Amino acid sequence: MSVYKPNEVEAKWQKTWEENNQYKTDTNDTTKPKYYALEMFPYPSGKLHMGHVRNYSIGDVVARFKKMQGYNVLHPMGWDSFGLPAENAAIKHGIHPDKWTMENIEDMRKQFKTLGLSFDWDREVATSTPEYYKFTQEIFLKFLEHGLAYKKKSFVNWCPSCETVLANEQVVQGACERCDSIVIKKDLEQWYFKTTHFAEELLQDLDTLDGWPEKVKTMQKNWIGKSTGAEITFDIDGSDKTITVFTTRPDTVYGVSYMVLAPEHELVKELVAGTEYEEAVDAFVSKMHTMTEIERTSSDVEKEGLFIGKHVINPVNGEKVQLWIANYVLADYGTGAVMAVPAHDERDGEFAAKYELPVVEVINEENVMVNSGEFNGMEASKAFEAIIEKIEEMGRGKKTVNYRLRDWLLSRQRYWGCPIPVVYCDECGIVPEKKENLPILLPTDVEFTGKGESPLTTSKTFMDATCPCCGKPARREVDTMDTFVDSSWYYLRYIDPKNTEEPFNKEAVNNWMPVDQYIGGVEHAILHLLYSRFFVKAFNEMGMLDFKEPFKNLLTQGMVLKDGAKMSKSKGNVVAPSEIIKEYGVDTARLFVLFAAPPERDLEWSDQGVEGCFRFLNRVYRLIDELADVAKNNVSLGELTKEDKAMRYTINATLKKVTEDLNEKFGFNTAISALMELVNEMYKYKELETRNDAVIKEGVDTIVTILSPFAPHIGEELWAMIGKEGSIFDISWPEYDETALVKDEVEIVVQVNGKVRGKLSVATNISREDMEKVAMEDEKIKALVEGKTVVKVIAVPKKLVNIVVK
């Protein structure tokens, strides 16, 4: 008897797959239905972790199963390879980001191949290569041409020590992650994508995504944050300036007792210039710049404000109220101004109480208007519309819809990102680069100091440009794009990765998109998924493709935990995939992460669980090895015994369950559990003196087939052991035999006065009368009812007989 040696088996089949180009997809093949299986591509950090193993094993099972079901499966792989860690490595270790990144990609590619994943590596892309970012730049220019990209001033995070702008993710508890200096806000010009252009569409189309988890759709709905209300314009007393607010409660406008502006609001500086309030306001604004948005708007943070010496006039009643600035109002949210109604808003009420500001009730406990002029006595719900009508008639506002969603700030003051393809010309202003000049390459003559502006500013060859419009000397944009830009369209490039003329071919993506199954962590539920949806809607509007949503079905897998916490070096609870693979093999690691928990839930690591999966694979190997010669023979079923029928029922019931679990609900854990039970039954059946070789063959074929998507290497090995040629993944997924699931006999329960007293096997089609007779003639039941009067007998076909006695 041979012994299961996972490392030898896995190396053998990985070599075979690579030599045979087993997983290459012909996207032009129209003879089969298409299926696009995709896991979110990784950042090339250099080392795989158990989260990677879980995520990509889930996707691999889906891809292999669908291929065996007859689909032409596209299952590509690539790298989200721009980003801050590469730049930090350049600063810390003096290694160029490109070299660091490409070395990591090489290492991770090798590690991924050891997992036996069915990727079509011919479609591999890396977002940091000129071949890819050339088209990221072209897409930017298309957005700019169609009004979906623009530049404006905004407040950004600034580290005074490093003398650089920081992205939000580089700010940890208000400090620079690199030097721990307090981060302040700085007003700089930045590039934006106009995500708000599709706010309503992004919201409404969530209802079409039936294959998405409800929690993810809810998160996106909340992020988009649609609210209906009114814009109302207030005059500033003694000025020709006005302030427009958005409110969801126009019915409370008579209760406005003060107005609040964001400290950064464009009017604040102008309104206090040369007044006694200027110095205090400047100090307050400076203080606000040391706080993050989360800190300023948190419900736990004390509300702080300052009167700036001005008043605004309420348009509905002519009353003057004080104008304040406060920490809880942000310049880039809504209009940057809030009409405060402390009687009907908790936050406003706290602020008014602290600063002793007036409180005016305008809706009583019966939800009827009071202190509201002509609207007194009206129900508040009716006053909502009536007051909007009045404001519109006065020319002081209008009914409108507001969204929490903001335009996407994509400028990054970094080197290792996609250069923004525009130049600045003294004659022509901001000028987009010509398409034929793309890609605008990242220069190599840069210095990585970690201080000052972007490293791109240290490259004279990059900074000095020629205006594409007038031909005069110009200055190149030194900001690069947010890496979310790269990952917002990569799934389209996979379909057409060798195209040198355009980002992707329209006909090709229309044929293959949307992605049939997308898999990735729930931490990407908002930004990545929202940005990808925005890109597809933008491409659709520009005529580049004909669909409006990128991902038909979405699975967000849970984390891998150890000792109840997410694996991390700082917690000292990391289990390296390489260690598990070396000791137990890849198939064991895959089987464990697929079996230990449903994919959408967190998985608790268990060394005992891993060992259990290894023992199971050994058990399967021994079983198939012992029965291989029998399985090679073609024999007919012939006359079946009761035991044969029971074994065939288990075989086909398991095949049916596994098929349903894989086809409908990602029930990997329950499918593997059913397979384990089938193996147990096969061990018992093979020991019978009257076993049927045809049933043995059916059981062996079924076990090997349904094990293969989960543990592909041993699946291939066992397939060869039983005399099959070619790859098991080129066969058709088997269909279960419906006739084998029809039982000749069924087990029923026998009760006496409702208590279970025995079990009997009876014919499936037995009549009620015969059920009663068989139950009453059973020796054990006879003894229990002897000497008692049988009041009645209740028979429920295929379930039970209840004998009532007294």
Side-chain angles (χ1 to χ4, degrees):
M1 181 177 284
S2 61
V3 178
Y4 173 45
K5 297 178 180 177
N7 298 116
E8 290 181 15
V9 168
E10 289 160 7
K12 168 187 172 182
W13 287 105
Q14 287 169 17
K15 184 171 183 287
T16 302
W17 293 334
E18 190 154 358
E19 288 174 350
N20 295 343
N21 222 346
Q22 179 72 30
Y23 304 115
K24 183 176 175 60
T25 303
D26 179 4
T27 51
N28 296 315
D29 181 2
T30 58
T31 62
K32 301 174 183 176
K34 67 92 184 172
Y35 192 91
Y36 191 171
L38 183 64
E39 303 94 280
M40 295 177 186
F41 65 169
Y43 179 78
S45 58
K47 295 292 182 185
L48 292 189
H49 52 68
M50 278 301 169
H52 287 125
V53 176
R54 190 183 194 197
N55 183 45
Y56 296 104
S57 294
I58 290 169
D60 196 55
V61 172
V62 174
R64 291 180 183 278
F65 175 65
K66 287 299 178 183
K67 187 176 189 296
M68 295 171 82
Q69 281 194 314
Y71 287 89
N72 185 20
V73 174
L74 177 61
H75 189 210
M77 180 59 176
W79 312 95
D80 191 9
S81 51
F82 271 139
L84 187 61
E87 200 157 335
N88 285 343
I91 296 166
K92 188 174 181 181
H93 303 296
I95 183 172
H96 193 277
D98 183 62
K99 187 173 188 293
W100 185 86
T101 300
M102 290 306 159
E103 287 176 354
N104 282 354
I105 286 176
E106 182 66 26
D107 288 346
M108 288 184 74
R109 187 189 299 113
K110 289 176 183 175
Q111 293 170 62
F112 269 120
K113 287 187 176 182
T114 66
L115 294 179
L117 301 164
S118 57
F119 294 136
D120 180 354
W121 285 103
D122 287 348
R123 296 178 179 276
E124 181 181 8
V125 301
T127 61
S128 60
T129 61
E131 294 80 12
Y132 186 91
Y133 72 70
K134 167 186 177 179
F135 294 114
T136 302
Q137 291 173 345
E138 184 177 321
I139 289 166
F140 176 91
L141 294 179
K142 287 179 182 292
F143 281 18
L144 190 61
E145 180 186 348
H146 285 81
L148 293 173
Y150 65 93
K151 195 171 191 185
K152 74 168 185 178
K153 266 196 167 188
S154 67
F155 284 92
V156 295
N157 303 309
W158 177 262
C159 175
S161 175
C162 298
E163 298 178 8
T164 187
V165 172
L166 304 177
N168 285 336
E169 62 266 26
Q170 294 172 271
V171 181
V172 180
Q173 296 181 333
C176 172
E177 68 169 2
R178 198 182 315 165
C179 70
D180 290 331
S181 296
I182 297 298
V183 172
I184 63 174
K185 291 287 186 178
K186 196 168 186 178
D187 197 12
L188 293 176
E189 281 200 317
Q190 304 282 282
W191 284 99
Y192 288 81
F193 280 156
K194 201 170 185 179
T195 47
T196 54
H197 178 70
F198 295 103
E200 185 62 25
E201 206 174 324
L202 286 164
L203 184 65
Q204 293 299 326
D205 286 355
L206 286 169
D207 293 335
T208 70
L209 299 176
D210 296 332
W212 282 41
E214 284 302 319
K215 66 176 180 180
V216 173
K217 292 197 285 186
T218 299
M219 289 166 76
Q220 289 218 356
K221 285 177 182 176
N222 291 340
W223 189 263
I224 296 167
K226 180 180 180 179
S227 52
T228 301
E231 283 185 352
I232 305 175
T233 300
F234 290 69
D235 288 330
I236 300 175
D237 189 34
S239 168
D240 59 355
K241 302 289 185 180
T242 61
I243 296 173
T244 298
V245 301
F246 170 80
T247 178
T248 58
R249 296 295 306 275
D251 52 326
T252 65
V253 67
Y254 282 87
V256 174
S257 62
Y258 63 99
M259 174 81 75
V260 185
L261 293 178
E264 305 87 356
H265 193 286
E266 59 186 2
L267 284 177
V268 171
K269 203 168 187 64
E270 178 183 339
L271 292 174
V272 299
T275 71
E276 61 185 288
Y277 298 92
E278 185 174 17
E279 186 177 343
V281 167
D282 286 346
F284 188 86
V285 171
S286 296
K287 181 181 178 181
M288 292 303 102
H289 289 175
T290 66
M291 299 177 68
T292 66
E293 290 184 8
I294 293 173
E295 289 171 333
R296 283 175 55 177
T297 58
S298 170
S299 58
D300 298 331
V301 173
E302 185 180 359
K303 307 299 177 283
E304 290 185 79
L306 191 69
F307 175 53
I308 66 171
K310 298 291 182 182
H311 293 76
V312 296
I313 302 170
N314 192 327
V316 296
N317 57 16
E319 291 187 3
K320 293 180 184 179
V321 298
Q322 290 185 354
L323 182 59
W324 286 63
I325 54 174
N327 59 349
Y328 63 85
V329 183
L330 304 175
D332 53 356
Y333 184 70
T335 65
V338 172
M339 65 174 217
V341 187
H344 304 287
D345 181 273
E346 185 177 351
R347 181 191 61 188
D348 295 346
E350 290 175 5
F351 192 87
K354 179 176 179 178
Y355 293 104
E356 299 181 352
L357 292 164
V359 177
V360 181
E361 182 185 44
V362 290
I363 303 173
N364 66 20
E365 292 180 359
E366 286 75 44
N367 216 32
V368 172
M369 305 295 294
V370 295
N371 300 319
S372 298
E374 65 200 82
F375 302 100
N376 284 342
M378 184 181 289
E379 288 183 15
S381 58
K382 293 180 180 178
F384 183 99
E385 298 293 341
I387 290 175
I388 291 176
E389 253 183 65
K390 175 174 179 174
I391 291 167
E392 289 178 336
E393 288 171 3
M394 296 170 64
R396 305 301 292 175
K398 62 181 179 179
K399 186 174 185 177
T400 189
V401 172
N402 193 42
Y403 299 91
R404 181 177 178 270
L405 180 70
R406 307 182 205 180
D407 283 342
W408 176 2
L409 193 163
L410 62 107
S411 294
R412 295 293 181 267
Q413 288 71 30
R414 301 176 184 163
Y415 169 81
W416 196 234
C418 177
I420 295 175
V422 300
V423 302
Y424 299 92
C425 173
D426 291 340
E427 296 287 332
C428 309
I430 298 176
V431 183
E433 191 56 83
K434 289 181 178 178
K435 180 181 174 181
E436 55 265 32
N437 292 339
L438 303 181
I440 304 303
L441 295 170
L442 285 167
T444 56
D445 59 332
V446 295
E447 296 177 20
F448 297 100
T449 63
K451 290 185 176 292
E453 297 179 82
S454 164
L456 288 174
T457 61
T458 68
S459 168
K460 187 170 178 59
T461 60
F462 184 82
M463 290 280 289
D464 294 343
T466 300
C467 175
C469 186
C470 70
K472 293 182 179 179
R475 175 177 55 84
R476 197 172 293 289
E477 171 63 78
V478 292
D479 282 357
T480 55
M481 296 185 214
D482 181 4
T483 56
F484 276 117
V485 176
D486 313 313
S487 60
S488 292
W489 71 281
Y490 78 105
Y491 47 88
L492 300 169
R493 185 66 180 173
Y494 278 148
I495 297 168
D496 196 16
K498 304 294 193 291
N499 194 328
T500 59
E501 301 301 318
E502 55 188 344
F504 49 82
N505 176 268
K506 180 177 180 178
E507 184 180 353
V509 299
N510 282 340
N511 180 50
W512 276 91
M513 291 292 292
V515 171
D516 293 282
Q517 185 62 60
Y518 199 36
I519 301 166
V522 74
E523 66 271 18
H524 301 295
I526 297 176
L527 294 185
H528 165 60
L529 292 174
L530 191 73
Y531 292 154
S532 296
R533 296 180 64 221
F534 160 71
F535 260 60
V536 164
K537 293 184 188 309
F539 290 153
N540 177 273
E541 186 170 277
M542 294 186 293
M544 294 172 66
L545 42 74
D546 294 339
F547 49 93
K548 290 192 173 184
E549 286 292 336
F551 313 120
K552 183 178 179 182
N553 297 294
L554 174 69
L555 172 67
T556 52
Q557 93 280 358
M559 294 186 296
V560 179
L561 311 177
K562 191 167 192 295
D563 304 323
K566 183 180 178 181
M567 288 187 182
S568 70
K569 289 181 181 178
S570 62
K571 291 188 177 72
N573 65 346
V574 172
V575 176
S578 57
E579 296 171 6
I580 301 301
I581 292 168
K582 184 178 179 180
E583 186 169 357
Y584 299 106
V586 169
D587 284 344
T588 293
R590 288 173 56 122
L591 195 70
F592 171 73
V593 296
L594 295 166
F595 173 61
E600 68 278 4
R601 295 186 188 170
D602 290 343
L603 179 157
E604 179 66 37
W605 183 263
S606 163
D607 293 336
Q608 294 78 14
V610 174
E611 290 167 5
C613 287
F614 182 62
R615 286 196 301 272
F616 170 69
L617 290 180
N618 275 276
R619 200 156 182 261
V620 173
Y621 189 92
R622 289 194 301 270
L623 177 69
I624 305 306
D625 186 38
E626 179 184 341
L627 301 176
D629 289 340
V630 178
K632 291 175 184 176
N633 298 327
N634 288 319
V635 288
S636 59
L637 285 169
E639 190 83 19
L640 297 178
T641 66
K642 176 181 176 182
E643 290 77 15
D644 297 338
K645 290 177 181 179
M647 190 67 241
R648 288 205 72 227
Y649 177 87
T650 302
I651 292 167
N652 285 277
T654 303
L655 178 55
K656 180 181 180 183
K657 174 167 181 51
V658 171
T659 303
E660 290 172 350
D661 281 349
L662 294 185
N663 215 24
E664 299 169 8
K665 54 189 179 183
F666 298 104
F668 303 140
N669 57 322
T670 54
I672 294 168
S673 179
L675 174 59
M676 289 175 171
E677 291 174 15
L678 171 59
V679 170
N680 288 339
E681 292 305 311
M682 277 291 289
Y683 263 98
K684 295 176 188 174
Y685 178 77
K686 75 179 178 65
E687 298 300 327
L688 297 177
E689 291 182 11
T690 58
R691 74 185 195 185
N692 185 314
D693 283 356
V695 176
I696 291 282
K697 177 179 174 58
E698 183 181 17
V700 167
D701 285 357
T702 301
I703 288 169
V704 175
T705 303
I706 62 182
L707 172 66
S708 296
F710 304 106
H713 306 88
I714 194 173
E716 292 274 38
E717 184 73 7
L718 298 177
W719 191 243
M721 280 171 59
I722 60 177
K724 307 291 187 179
E725 294 184 356
S727 171
I728 191 171
F729 300 107
D730 289 334
I731 72 165
S732 295
W733 187 261
E735 294 186 7
Y736 53 87
D737 184 351
E738 290 278 9
T739 62
L741 299 177
V742 178
K743 287 188 173 181
D744 294 335
E745 290 189 344
V746 65
E747 187 175 67
I748 64 168
V749 170
V750 181
Q751 299 175 335
V752 176
N753 288 346
K755 291 185 178 180
V756 176
R757 297 300 187 184
K759 294 179 180 179
L760 298 172
S761 290
V762 299
T764 305
N765 58 355
I766 191 172
S767 66
R768 290 175 188 267
E769 293 77 13
D770 286 343
M771 281 177 70
E772 294 175 10
K773 184 178 178 183
V774 169
M776 293 296 293
E777 289 177 354
D778 180 77
E779 294 300 324
K780 182 179 179 182
I781 301 302
K782 273 184 182 179
L784 287 169
V785 301
E786 188 176 357
K788 298 176 182 176
T789 302
V790 176
V791 178
K792 62 180 174 178
V793 181
I794 304 164
V796 181
K798 299 182 182 179
K799 290 188 177 180
L800 63 85
V801 173
N802 183 27
I803 302 166
V804 181
V805 299
K806 65 176 182 180

